[in-house]
């Protein structure tokens, strides 16, 4: 990167490769959800054990993000990104081996999760560093489209391929996609020291705002997954949708998520506060609305689409905000935000499970909406009332 930017076609190719890599990582993370029964039967393990491949993946990302970002902060990004994509390719192909055992599959998943933890921390600075500073938000938006396509297209396509060709086939395809990304990044991404790029540091460092953004990520994601983890049961028991209809409703959710990211991405640079506050408000309305009106099928579909259009842009907006207000190196700050996201997923699922026998499925959406409302209130506070006791202490690894 440095002071001389590559030719426009090289920059576009690198961004496209990173979008493909984001798609591949996110599909890999959630693919076992669509192949649950096939994998359990073939590996002779329980459904819970296969589910642990997803849960353990997210926890590994949450735990590994900050330490890995700190340890690798001086490694040239072309070398680092090439290594991460190589891990993704090799681990995917190991997962596709005919003789793979559950234990070896688990090792491959942990390796991929560690690579993903670092990938999400450095992908943003690498991509935005290729362009002028005023285009940071737009580039983050493009990368987020790649990640969102995994939910809309990657996992469903993987589940379809697995049903026709065996569950290993999708992992083989993902390994091939990783090699494509690797080849482009290894050849076209310039080699330079990370700190030479304008994207290595926040454009307007603000420790208070950074703390608010991290808290918003944690609260909103916890709120979303407190209810959404049990959305299939909600659609069945509360809204009365049949199994075939549930799949269609979830596809509508995914399409709305992709639309939300696509619309919000170009607005991140012009309206940084609004592109974060509006999705949090939308998520609050959607979750509480599902608690109140979830028995109506039409209203449920509308509210779920609102939820999808809010949840997906929310993480994108927090990533863009972190790049702007990071109090130190951006990759460490982004790693902290990624860790907050993955902790929110895990805590939300656990909280929802604990609430089920106490408040029922509808109650999980109410609690999720209230947690998101707290995040909305925090975003609405004037900066002067943010507690110094909360934000003045340095974040772990952020210097």
């Amino acid at each position: 990167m440095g002071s001389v930017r590559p030719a426009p076609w090289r920059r576009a190719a690198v961004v496209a490769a990173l979008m493909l890599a984001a798609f591949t990582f996110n599909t890999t993370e959630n693919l076992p959800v669509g192949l649950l029964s096939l994998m359990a039967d073939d590996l002779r393990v329980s459904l819970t054990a296969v589910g642990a491949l997803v849960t353990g993946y997210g926890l590994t990302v949450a735990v590994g993000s900050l330490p890995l970002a700190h340890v690798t902060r001086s490694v040239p990004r072309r070398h680092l990104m090439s290594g991460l994509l190589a891990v993704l390719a090799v681990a995917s192909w190991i997962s596709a081996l005919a003789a793979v055992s559950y234990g070896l599959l688990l090792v491959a998943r942990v390796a991929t999760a560690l690579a993903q933890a670092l990938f999400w921390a450095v992908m943003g600075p690498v991509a935005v560093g290729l362009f002028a500073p005023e285009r940071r938000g737009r580039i983050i938006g493009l990368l987020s489209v790649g990640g969102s396509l995994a939910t809309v297209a990657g996992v469903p396509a993987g589940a379809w391929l697995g049903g026709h060709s065996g569950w290993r086939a999708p992992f083989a395809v993902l390994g091939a996609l990783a090699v494509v990304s690797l080849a482009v990044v290894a050849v076209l991404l310039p080699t330079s020291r990370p700190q030479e790029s304008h994207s290595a540091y926040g454009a307007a460092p603000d420790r208070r705002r950074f703390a608010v953004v991290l808290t918003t990520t944690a609260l909103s994601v916890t709120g979303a997954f407190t209810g959404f983890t049990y959305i299939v049961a909600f659609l069945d028991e509360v809204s009365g949708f049949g199994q075939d209809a549930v799949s269609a409703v979830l596809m509508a959710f995914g399409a709305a998520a992709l639309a939300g990211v696509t619309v919000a991405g170009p607005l991140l640079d012009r309206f940084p506060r609004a592109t974060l506050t509006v999705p949090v408000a939308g998520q609050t309305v959607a979750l509480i609305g599902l608690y109140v009106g979830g028995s109506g099928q039409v209203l449920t579909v509308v509210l779920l689409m609102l939820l999808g259009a809010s949840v997906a842009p929310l993480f994108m907006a927090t990533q863009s905000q972190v790049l702007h207000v990071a109090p130190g190196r951006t990759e460490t700050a982004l790693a902290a935000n990624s860790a907050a996201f993955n902790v929110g997923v895990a805590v939300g699922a656990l909280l929802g499970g604990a609430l089920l026998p106490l408040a029922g499925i509808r109650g999980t959406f109410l609690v999720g909406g209230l947690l998101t409302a707290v995040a909305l209130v925090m975003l609405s506070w004037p900066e002067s009332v943010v507690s110094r006791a909360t934000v003045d202490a340095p974040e772990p690894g952020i210097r």
Side-chain angles (χ1 to χ4, degrees):
M1 287 162 276
S3 59
V4 179
R5 294 195 183 99
W9 71 268
R10 291 184 64 180
R11 286 182 273 159
V14 170
V15 170
L18 293 176
M19 290 175 67
L20 178 60
F23 169 85
T24 306
F25 267 118
N26 279 13
T27 302
T28 301
E29 178 176 6
N30 295 297
L31 185 57
V33 173
L35 303 171
L36 208 64
S37 297
L38 290 173
M39 295 178 69
D41 291 343
D42 186 64
L43 294 169
R44 295 185 176 85
V45 297
S46 66
L47 293 175
T48 302
V50 178
L53 295 175
V54 177
T55 306
Y57 193 110
L59 291 175
T60 301
V61 173
V63 172
S65 295
L66 267 172
L68 288 172
H70 183 73
V71 168
T72 61
R73 63 204 308 256
S74 299
V75 179
R77 285 334 189 203
R78 182 168 71 90
H79 301 157
L80 182 60
M81 295 297 285
S82 298
L84 297 177
L85 293 170
V87 170
L88 174 60
V90 172
S92 297
W93 283 335
I94 288 175
S95 301
L97 291 174
V100 70
S101 64
Y102 179 82
L104 184 56
L105 183 61
L106 181 60
V107 171
R109 296 281 296 175
V110 170
T112 308
L114 291 173
Q116 180 168 329
L118 189 50
F119 174 81
W120 281 108
V122 301
M123 174 183 67
V126 164
V128 302
L130 297 169
F131 298 85
E134 59 269 19
R135 299 185 65 184
R136 287 186 172 195
R138 184 172 300 181
I139 301 304
I140 290 295
L142 286 173
L143 299 176
S144 297
V145 169
S148 297
L149 278 171
T151 302
V152 179
V155 174
W160 178 87
L161 179 60
H164 287 78
S165 304
W167 66 265
R168 293 172 176 81
F171 285 99
V173 172
L174 291 171
L177 295 179
V179 169
V180 174
S181 298
L182 168 60
V184 174
V185 168
V187 173
L188 297 181
L189 183 65
T191 301
S192 62
R193 297 179 181 275
Q195 60 269 28
E196 293 176 359
S197 171
H198 68 79
S199 63
Y201 301 94
D206 185 335
R207 191 175 297 277
R208 290 186 178 85
R209 185 65 184 175
F210 176 65
V212 169
V213 172
L214 280 191
T215 305
T216 298
T217 298
L219 283 173
S220 61
V221 174
T222 300
F225 280 86
T226 296
F228 191 76
T229 301
Y230 306 96
I231 187 61
V232 173
F234 181 93
L235 292 174
D236 177 28
E237 298 177 21
V238 177
S239 304
F241 286 102
Q243 185 58 46
D244 292 340
V246 167
S247 299
V249 172
L250 292 179
M251 285 184 66
F253 170 88
L258 180 60
V261 169
T262 304
V263 171
L267 303 176
L268 290 171
D269 293 313
R270 295 176 59 192
F271 308 105
R273 299 291 179 96
T275 47
L276 179 55
T277 303
V278 170
V280 175
Q283 179 177 309
T284 303
V285 170
L287 289 170
I288 294 179
L290 286 166
Y291 166 74
V292 174
S295 56
Q297 292 188 344
V298 174
L299 181 59
T300 294
V301 173
V302 171
L303 290 170
L304 268 179
M305 292 182 71
L306 174 61
L307 183 62
S310 302
V311 169
L314 200 154
F315 182 63
M316 174 184 70
T318 61
Q319 291 287 84
S320 181
Q321 283 270 307
V322 166
L323 276 174
H324 189 71
V325 302
R329 288 283 292 271
T330 51
E331 73 271 17
T332 309
L334 289 168
N337 196 49
S338 179
F341 178 91
N342 284 280
V343 168
V345 172
V347 172
L350 290 173
L351 177 59
L355 287 170
L356 280 176
L358 302 175
I361 294 176
R362 293 179 78 149
T364 65
F365 283 83
L366 174 61
V367 173
L370 293 176
L371 286 171
T372 311
V374 174
L376 182 61
V377 171
M378 284 197 62
L379 285 175
S380 304
W381 283 348
E383 292 183 17
S384 59
V385 304
V386 178
S387 171
R388 288 182 178 273
T390 301
V391 301
D392 281 354
E395 296 293 327
I398 297 189
R399 304 195 278 277

